[in-house]
Amino acid sequence: MKILVLNSGSSSQKSCVYDIGEVLPQNPPSCIWEGKIEWGGETAEAVVKNSQGVAHNKRVTVGSRGEAVEQLLCSLWRGEARAISSPSDIDVVGHRVVHGGPYYEEPAVVTPEVKSAIASVAAFAPLHSRAELEGMGIAERLLGNVPQIAVFDTGFHRKMPLEATVYPGPYEWYEGGIRRYGFHGINHQYCAGRAAQLLGADLKSLKLVSCHLGNGCSVAAIRDGRSADTSMGFTPLEGLMMGTRSGSVDPGILTYLMRQSSLTGKQLDEILNRKSGLLGVSGISGDMRHILAATKNGSPRAKLAFDIYVHRLQAGIGAMVAVLGGIDALVFTAGVGENSPEVRAATCGNFGFLGLKLDAEKNARPSLDQDISADGSSVRALVIRAQEDWGIARECWKLVRAGSWATTK
């Protein structure tokens, strides 16, 4: 079964193809094709490669985002790095959908009703929702009547208890759909299962804290294989300090700025999402690699940005441990989590009282999907590669094998 996965972002499009046989692999297989496109203005940078090692990189001029995505997908069966002979070789398309709102917990076959539900909560994540819906339309035009499946980033968190879900405002908020949804659920769920494999334990017996640290950051408390709490909430803005996002701030700051500086909602949204976080504090970058380099060069604001990042991450982890009533393993995943030994070492430094101790050599040079805790550490520290695309492909395989899509054709 050839499964095309579309991971649509506001300024990028990641895509890959898995070829899965009769048995679902226990560990993620390699893609037979993957592509990524990033655009700015009237040009787009596209990179594609196939499993034979053929890669192609080019900058193209495009009239729209949709046109850029179409060009990327057509390279799957055309050009030097093609991996299939025609669009008809694709059996199913899986989409990462950032926000399922109050409607969807489990993956769903894309129908007009599903599209309408996604559009109805687009205000919660407008850039992503538009890109996701556009991707569904492009796949339909290029591939015809191929089943498409939406996998929701909020789905893993939909069974959080009410005390972790309802905001302490008027109860009418909750009745009107204003609640804590949580995000990064596809990867948090994958990492929980992978952690159980690495530890040789039953997932339902483990208390896990998963740290998804990329440009966006969140922690999740996982008990019995399910999300008990997470740091992101109504939008992906709540919680930890991030690359360009502030994370949680006193809401009184916002009303103060509205009164004193006459800032509009749009201006506040721009500040909180694009001009805060590591970038806002350091004045240098939202990229942790640049922050670490500037810190080594003596920048006090870069050091402050790093220190705030670690402080808030430690506080977030501590909150999750309290929710769980203990911890068996701490998971680091995504770009910063996988690639920054400095962040991991600084974060774990205060958790010796829990029995957590890193192996300095393993932390400095970990292979992905590895236990980096020291011998004798009663809490394990794991580095696990983010596998959102594989998580989506796996759900597609399950639904198609079950015949769940057939009724919509």
Side-chain angles (χ1 to χ4, degrees):
M1 184 189 303
K2 290 184 174 60
I3 302 171
L4 170 62
V5 175
L6 298 184
N7 193 333
S8 302
S10 57
S11 62
S12 67
Q13 173 73 57
K14 293 187 291 182
S15 308
C16 64
V17 175
Y18 292 94
D19 193 357
I20 306 175
E22 295 297 312
V23 178
L24 191 65
Q26 186 178 27
N27 297 323
S30 299
C31 301
I32 65 170
W33 177 91
E34 54 187 318
K36 181 177 181 179
I37 190 162
E38 296 181 330
W39 53 88
E42 298 178 351
T43 62
E45 184 77 22
V47 180
V48 296
K49 61 180 179 179
N50 60 23
S51 56
Q52 282 72 49
V54 178
H56 187 56
N57 188 331
K58 67 176 181 178
R59 179 170 290 276
V60 295
T61 300
V62 294
S64 67
R65 183 191 183 283
E67 184 180 331
V69 175
E70 286 200 24
Q71 289 186 23
L72 177 72
L73 294 182
C74 286
S75 67
L76 174 56
W77 55 84
R78 298 176 190 160
E80 302 170 6
R82 63 185 179 275
I84 60 176
S85 59
S86 73
S88 62
D89 290 342
I90 297 297
D91 297 295
V92 59
V93 181
H95 299 268
R96 174 184 174 234
V97 178
V98 168
H99 215 306
Y103 308 109
Y104 293 103
E105 176 182 331
E106 299 297 332
V109 178
V110 173
T111 64
E113 291 75 21
V114 170
K115 289 182 184 178
S116 177
I118 294 170
S120 72
V121 294
F124 301 162
L127 298 179
H128 287 90
S129 295
R130 284 197 295 268
E132 292 152 3
L133 290 167
E134 184 177 49
M136 294 172 189
I138 291 170
E140 186 174 352
R141 288 197 301 273
L142 294 179
L143 306 178
N145 194 31
V146 171
Q148 300 191 56
I149 294 171
V151 183
F152 300 93
D153 224 9
T154 50
F156 182 55
H157 304 296
R158 286 284 282 121
K159 287 194 172 89
M160 290 192 306
L162 286 178
E163 59 266 28
T165 300
V166 179
Y167 282 107
Y171 190 73
E172 289 76 15
W173 285 5
Y174 178 68
E175 293 177 319
I178 298 176
R179 48 159 288 172
R180 302 189 68 250
Y181 290 99
F183 299 88
H184 295 144
I186 297 169
N187 193 48
H188 283 307
Q189 184 173 25
Y190 167 78
C191 286
R194 184 62 174 145
Q197 288 179 350
L198 294 174
L199 297 172
D202 180 358
L203 174 58
K204 291 188 176 181
S205 72
L206 295 173
K207 295 177 180 178
L208 304 171
V209 176
S210 174
C211 305
H212 180 111
L213 308 177
N215 186 50
C217 302
S218 68
V219 291
I222 301 170
R223 179 175 51 221
D224 299 326
R226 297 165 64 174
S227 175
D229 200 356
T230 190
S231 57
M232 285 181 169
F234 179 62
T235 74
L237 183 58
E238 186 180 353
L240 305 178
M241 180 184 188
M242 308 179 214
T244 63
R245 282 175 254 173
S246 64
S248 296
V249 296
D250 182 347
I253 295 172
L254 310 184
T255 56
Y256 172 82
L257 290 173
M258 292 174 72
R259 291 193 306 268
Q260 297 297 116
S261 303
S262 300
L263 295 184
T264 64
K266 183 176 181 181
Q267 289 171 320
L268 287 173
D269 186 74
E270 177 73 10
I271 292 169
L272 295 172
N273 281 288
R274 301 184 186 277
K275 297 180 179 179
S276 298
L278 292 173
L279 173 62
V281 175
S282 72
I284 296 170
S285 173
D287 189 317
M288 180 58 76
R289 293 168 296 185
H290 299 160
I291 297 300
L292 290 169
T295 299
K296 290 176 183 177
N297 288 331
S299 168
R301 283 178 57 183
K303 183 180 185 305
L304 177 60
F306 178 85
D307 290 344
I308 297 172
Y309 184 97
V310 170
H311 172 80
R312 291 201 161 208
L313 177 55
Q314 289 174 329
I317 293 169
M320 297 299 116
V321 173
V323 166
L324 295 173
I327 179 173
D328 295 306
L330 179 64
V331 175
F332 292 94
T333 186
V336 176
E338 295 167 23
N339 297 299
S340 178
E342 297 92 344
V343 168
R344 294 192 297 267
T347 300
C348 293
N350 277 4
F351 291 117
F353 72 96
L354 292 175
L356 173 59
K357 184 179 180 181
L358 293 189
D359 183 308
E361 184 175 342
K362 288 180 180 177
N363 181 52
R365 291 180 294 277
S367 59
L368 292 181
D369 294 9
Q370 181 182 352
D371 186 338
I372 60 168
S373 46
D375 293 340
S377 177
S378 57
V379 175
R380 313 313 296 176
L382 308 176
V383 179
I384 297 179
R385 182 182 179 186
Q387 293 279 8
E388 285 178 329
D389 291 345
W390 169 241
I392 295 167
R394 185 171 57 183
E395 295 299 331
C396 291
W397 185 90
K398 291 177 182 177
L399 281 178
V400 172
R401 293 284 293 182
S404 299
W405 63 275
T407 58
T408 68
K409 295 190 69 175

